[in-house]
Amino acid sequence: MKAVKIGVLGLGTVGGGVVNILKRNAKEISRRAGREIIVTHASARDLTRERICDTQGITLTSHSLDIINDPEIDIVLELIGGTTIAKDLMLQAIDNGKHIVTANKALIALHGNEIFAKASEKGVMVLFEAAVAGGIPIIKAIREGLSGNQIEWLAGIINGTGNFILTEMRDKGRDFADVLAEAQALGYAESDPTFDVEGIDAGHKLAILASLAFGIPLQFEKVFTEGITKITRADVEYAEELGYRIKHLGIARKTDKGVELRVHPTLIPERRLIANVDGVMNAVLVQGDAVGPTLYYGAGAGAEPTGSAVVSDIVDIVRVLTGEPEHRVPPLAFQADAISDITVLSSEQIQTAYYLRLSAEDKPGVLADVTRILAKHNISIEAIIQKEPLEGETTLPVIMLTQTTLEKEMNAAIAEIEALSTITGSISRIRLETLG
Ligand code: HSE
């Protein structure tokens, strides 16, 4: 049978990894796909740059349009990134009848609904396994492996940079800014590192996972995001003392009122496997009603781990190239006419437990005032510890763990506690999930 021809847009880290894998494992891959797969063309902005892959036999161009307009090319890999040029090229390639494989989480999260509608109109496939958690086949697991389940919730460490920062702060007592600089130097961070530390990158990935899990449209704009920039070494230590780890989690949960979509630092019991996922590694915990909890772990970034995911999508496309379009696996797991419009809850409607750290004056009645306010808002305290004042300070750090409550009640309680004359500064609040 005729070989399948691939055109690669973007020959950077991921593109280079894909070319290397396709060359090195060519035989094994074609045994799986049933056809030979060859990269015939690749585009790059700077053709003189040194590459991590051997480009012998590949026609290089600085014009991506040469590739998407080439009638010989069957599958286009969009590995440029960003949501402007990449979007135009992808839509044009779809219009030209090309199947697409992409690693572009932002593009899928922000414009996936439009892209999939166009792909369906044109009868082509758009696959994006590499967009979430790098080399972990989490999209395939949810879309296919768990298709007998009602997914109840999922929680993931889906940004390696953030996890690296929190791990270094905990293990080595390093400061946030110092670790971020190292993550940038090591090439883990996004070109705009605020995407990593403010939860935007994880939010993109969570929007994709939630669509696959619950059969809802991609709605990145409704994801509540809170970054890790306010986490202090003291918070990390107090959490440890209470038997918890702080992880930057993306959480999607279906409730009887709607769907929670949120990314924020989260205390989780240290005995949970996911609490022990350290450094740049990613992990996603998925709870299905039939299967129970399942955990997926692996490298969330890097040339070959991400390349591995891209190649698996290529193989899937090659396998169904001769199949009928309407019988293919739908891009968002559910059939296009079965996508549901379940409400996505606002951040005030989230229900979670909390870690609170406040600075209190050392006077009788201060804690009584705080607990009175919490009780007024129906918030139960799970644990409370009072520490010695930090060096040079007169106020006492008080750490509390609460039971699950409505975020709206917690917002109101925090505002009232912060207004007490005996409480200094603002309260540090970290959400807490037992993931049980
Ligand atoms: N900046 C991302 C991360 C890269 O740190 O996880 C992979 O998406």
Side-chain angles (χ1 to χ4, degrees):
M1 208 180 265
K2 222 172 104 200
V4 173
K5 294 190 176 150
I6 309 280
V8 186
L9 311 184
L11 212 46
T13 306
V14 181
V18 171
V19 169
N20 282 335
I21 296 171
L22 284 173
K23 283 202 173 170
R24 189 175 71 238
N25 298 341
K27 265 201 185 146
E28 199 73 342
I29 290 168
S30 65
R31 279 179 65 210
R32 291 190 171 111
R35 307 259 293 265
E36 195 190 347
I37 298 168
I38 41 176
V39 176
T40 57
H41 295 71
S43 68
R45 244 188 327 207
D46 176 4
L47 295 179
T48 60
R49 223 180 87 183
E50 209 178 312
R51 308 265 154 220
I52 59 166
C53 62
D54 172 11
T55 54
Q56 211 185 359
I58 302 175
T59 305
L60 296 179
T61 171
S62 50
H63 302 289
S64 294
L65 282 173
D66 293 349
I67 295 180
I68 60 178
N69 290 331
D70 185 332
E72 286 293 307
I73 289 173
D74 304 293
I75 304 174
V76 169
L77 311 187
E78 185 284 298
L79 305 175
I80 296 173
T83 52
T84 51
I85 298 168
K87 182 185 175 201
D88 294 343
L89 289 171
M90 193 186 284
L91 290 174
Q92 183 62 53
I94 292 171
D95 230 11
N96 292 352
K98 311 291 182 204
H99 301 285
I100 309 286
V101 176
T102 181
N104 193 332
K105 54 242 164 159
L107 184 55
I108 295 297
L110 298 177
H111 303 291
N113 299 320
E114 178 188 348
I115 289 166
F116 298 135
K118 177 131 193 143
S120 157
E121 191 188 303
K122 292 283 168 183
V124 299
M125 288 171 271
V126 177
L127 297 186
F128 49 94
E129 181 65 70
V132 181
I136 307 175
I138 185 63
I139 290 179
K140 202 165 190 62
I142 296 176
R143 186 159 54 194
E144 297 172 47
L146 299 179
S147 55
N149 287 260
Q150 294 201 43
I151 309 288
E152 293 167 350
W153 54 264
L154 59 86
I157 296 172
I158 43 181
N159 181 271
T161 301
N163 202 40
F164 176 66
I165 292 172
L166 290 176
T167 305
E168 291 287 302
M169 283 171 76
R170 189 194 76 220
D171 288 354
K172 303 187 184 150
R174 294 174 63 190
D175 280 320
F176 179 89
D178 170 36
V179 192
L180 174 60
E182 188 185 342
Q184 286 176 285
L186 291 169
Y188 301 147
E190 296 294 301
S191 49
D192 176 354
T194 59
F195 272 43
D196 295 297
V197 298
E198 296 298 356
I200 313 292
D201 177 73
H204 290 148
K205 294 165 180 168
L206 185 76
I208 296 173
L209 291 180
S211 278
L212 295 161
F214 306 132
I216 56 176
L218 293 152
Q219 297 166 85
F220 167 70
E221 70 287 354
K222 293 190 183 159
V223 179
F224 167 78
T225 52
E226 184 180 290
I228 55 172
T229 51
K230 294 194 192 110
I231 302 290
T232 63
R233 268 161 55 183
D235 290 323
V236 174
E237 279 161 26
Y238 296 150
E240 290 271 308
E241 213 172 296
L242 290 157
Y244 291 84
R245 296 252 164 101
I246 301 177
K247 292 289 178 192
H248 202 195
L249 289 191
I251 298 174
R253 174 151 51 204
K254 200 171 181 184
T255 73
D256 50 6
K257 297 196 181 66
V259 174
E260 295 180 357
L261 299 180
R262 47 192 171 106
V263 174
H264 50 69
T266 313
L267 264 75
I268 45 180
E270 66 187 1
R271 64 181 181 280
R272 298 263 175 253
L273 278 177
I274 196 169
N276 295 283
V277 171
D278 287 334
V280 285
M281 300 307 275
N282 281 196
V284 185
L285 182 54
V286 185
Q287 172 81 22
D289 69 332
V291 72
T294 55
L295 180 66
Y296 308 84
Y297 167 86
E304 293 215 359
T306 312
S308 157
V310 171
V311 173
S312 81
D313 279 345
I314 297 173
V315 170
D316 273 1
I317 291 177
V318 174
R319 282 175 176 155
V320 295
L321 266 183
T322 48
E324 297 295 320
E326 62 271 29
H327 295 137
R328 292 173 186 163
V329 177
L332 288 179
F334 290 73
Q335 298 297 328
D337 58 2
I339 295 290
S340 122
D341 58 357
I342 310 170
T343 312
V344 174
L345 300 176
S346 74
S347 62
E348 292 226 305
Q349 295 170 290
I350 288 171
Q351 293 196 60
T352 183
Y354 294 86
Y355 157 105
L356 302 177
R357 175 169 54 79
L358 39 123
S359 296
E361 279 182 25
D362 191 8
K363 277 190 189 163
V366 174
L367 282 185
D369 287 342
V370 172
T371 52
R372 182 183 42 78
I373 293 171
L374 291 173
K376 188 178 111 189
H377 290 279
N378 245 330
I379 300 169
S380 290
I381 298 167
E382 180 79 31
I384 182 162
I385 49 174
Q386 183 178 307
K387 309 294 288 186
E388 291 299 313
L390 297 174
E391 215 178 291
E393 287 183 21
T394 51
T395 55
L396 305 168
V398 176
I399 294 93
M400 291 180 170
L401 300 186
T402 76
Q403 291 182 354
T404 300
T405 186
L406 201 60
E407 178 109 351
K408 186 176 174 191
E409 295 294 341
M410 183 53 83
N411 290 343
I414 286 179
E416 282 180 44
I417 296 170
E418 284 178 344
L420 293 172
S421 61
T422 48
I423 299 297
T424 316
S426 52
I427 295 176
S428 292
R429 162 234 313 251
I430 308 176
R431 293 164 193 86
L432 182 157
E433 297 285 342
T434 55
L435 303 179

